[in-house]
Amino acid sequence: MIKTEKNKVNLIDARGPRFSAVITTLVLAAALVTQSAVLIAIQLVVFAIGAFAGPAKTPYAFLFKKFVKPRLKGDAPTEDARPPQFAQSVGLIFTVVALAGSLLSIPALFIVAVGFALFAAFLNAAFNFCLGCEIYLLALRAVK
Amino acid sequence: MNSLTPLLVVLALAIAFGVWYTRSRGEFRKKKTVNGPKLDASIIGVELGSRVTMVQFSSAFCSPCRATKALLEDMVKTMPDVRYAHIDAESHLELVRKIDIRSTPTTLFLNGEGVEVGRAMGTPKRSQVLAAVNAIR
């Protein structure tokens, strides 16, 4: 899912994923309140694009490039695309679980899964939280 | 069945966690008991500094790791008795377990003997690194 070749670091504008996290937070918050399977399905597709094609290829990244980036001043801070791509993959897993909860009529599963995804997206948007920093090594330690 | 309760609960928890997270990242935490394993050049890949060695653990999915590396590499240039070592956590999982590294970046501060005096999780500020290094004799 995520390429980990050490020599080829794909750099993207670091402000893009932060902007995407804001939109993601709004979509997930709306989905949580309305318990809308449609909103979660849309977010699932966005996460899937981010996880497989890269965070700079999502519709939210397109909005950032088209409308936000031209208005920003100063040099673009760059970052490695892999950390946000990892976060998108984790988001994908949570939205898949949420959608399953919705389709199987298990509202608790939907609420908990959307809740976790929203928790991470909000932290990313508001506090620049790095999900990969905190859980990747713990996950590796658990499985290897 | 629309309800605002789950949203408010998640936001309250996320804000509380976020405030704690922001405050605790970069902070130097002193090791309470100095009896950890001794690290040396064969483990960290760099000769120990005569007074302090900073050992940074990084991983692939970590954006602040790059900034931390740049900061610490820059700082050791002006401190002849301090050295810097960079370790990829993923390819050193045994060491990671042994000295209990949980997140990246984590920077260990070793004394002249190679014993951990304390560590900082997240990207420290220049002033935090200076204070930590200066506290080690």
Side-chain angles (χ1 to χ4, degrees):
Chain A
M1 191 182 289
I2 301 169
K3 300 179 198 98
T4 50
E5 300 106 288
K6 297 243 154 61
N7 306 322
K8 269 204 222 155
V9 174
N10 177 19
L11 291 177
I12 55 172
D13 189 331
R15 301 164 302 187
R18 195 87 186 263
F19 171 80
S20 300
V22 174
I23 312 265
T24 304
T25 300
L26 297 176
V27 171
L28 289 173
L32 190 57
V33 173
T34 60
Q35 299 204 11
S36 159
V38 174
L39 280 177
I40 282 303
I42 293 170
Q43 185 58 52
L44 188 154
V45 171
V46 174
F47 277 146
I49 297 170
F52 291 101
K57 300 284 195 309
T58 66
Y60 301 167
F62 175 78
L63 289 177
F64 171 76
K65 270 176 233 153
K66 187 93 182 163
F67 300 107
V68 182
K69 195 171 171 149
R71 286 156 215 266
L72 295 174
K73 294 195 180 92
D75 291 332
T78 56
E79 73 169 343
D80 189 343
R82 291 174 300 172
Q85 190 162 4
F86 175 81
Q88 297 278 304
S89 312
V90 175
L92 175 62
I93 293 167
F94 278 118
T95 45
V96 166
V97 173
L99 196 62
S102 190
L103 296 177
L104 301 171
S105 304
I106 313 172
L109 187 62
F110 178 90
I111 290 172
V112 170
V114 177
F116 272 109
L118 175 63
F119 183 82
F122 173 82
L123 280 170
N124 189 193
F127 295 95
N128 211 9
F129 176 71
C130 167
L131 189 65
C133 301
E134 303 303 320
I135 67 166
Y136 178 60
L137 197 56
L138 285 180
L140 265 187
R141 283 178 58 170
V143 298
K144 270 195 193 172
Chain B
M1 232 183 61
N2 291 1
S3 163
L4 275 177
T5 316
L7 175 65
L8 296 178
V9 169
V10 169
L11 289 183
L13 289 175
I15 289 170
F17 179 83
V19 170
W20 170 81
Y21 177 79
T22 307
R23 286 202 186 148
S24 63
R25 292 307 95 161
E27 181 188 52
F28 175 77
R29 290 191 201 171
K30 217 170 163 182
K31 202 161 197 282
K32 285 172 191 98
T33 50
V34 185
N35 56 2
K38 248 187 177 180
L39 301 183
D40 58 35
S42 68
I43 302 170
I44 62 171
V46 177
E47 288 297 327
L48 289 177
S50 60
R51 188 167 59 89
V52 181
T53 308
M54 299 188 283
V55 186
Q56 181 191 337
F57 287 81
S58 295
S59 66
F61 306 125
C62 164
S63 20
C65 287
R66 281 174 74 219
T68 308
K69 184 168 188 277
L71 172 71
L72 298 181
E73 276 178 342
D74 182 55
M75 289 186 73
V76 293
K77 281 181 196 157
T78 55
M79 300 186 286
D81 53 355
V82 181
R83 298 199 72 164
Y84 170 75
H86 186 251
I87 294 180
D88 173 37
E90 197 169 343
S91 52
H92 294 81
L93 277 182
E94 209 169 305
L95 179 64
V96 160
R97 282 201 188 88
K98 193 167 144 200
I99 51 185
D100 197 22
I101 305 291
R102 292 171 195 176
S103 66
T104 51
T106 292
T107 307
L108 305 183
F109 292 81
L110 311 180
N111 64 16
E113 271 86 60
V115 176
E116 179 189 344
V117 180
R119 60 178 68 185
M121 280 149 70
T123 304
K125 294 189 190 78
R126 196 170 274 269
S127 57
Q128 288 174 314
V129 177
L130 268 183
V133 166
N134 288 338
I136 301 169
R137 293 286 145 218

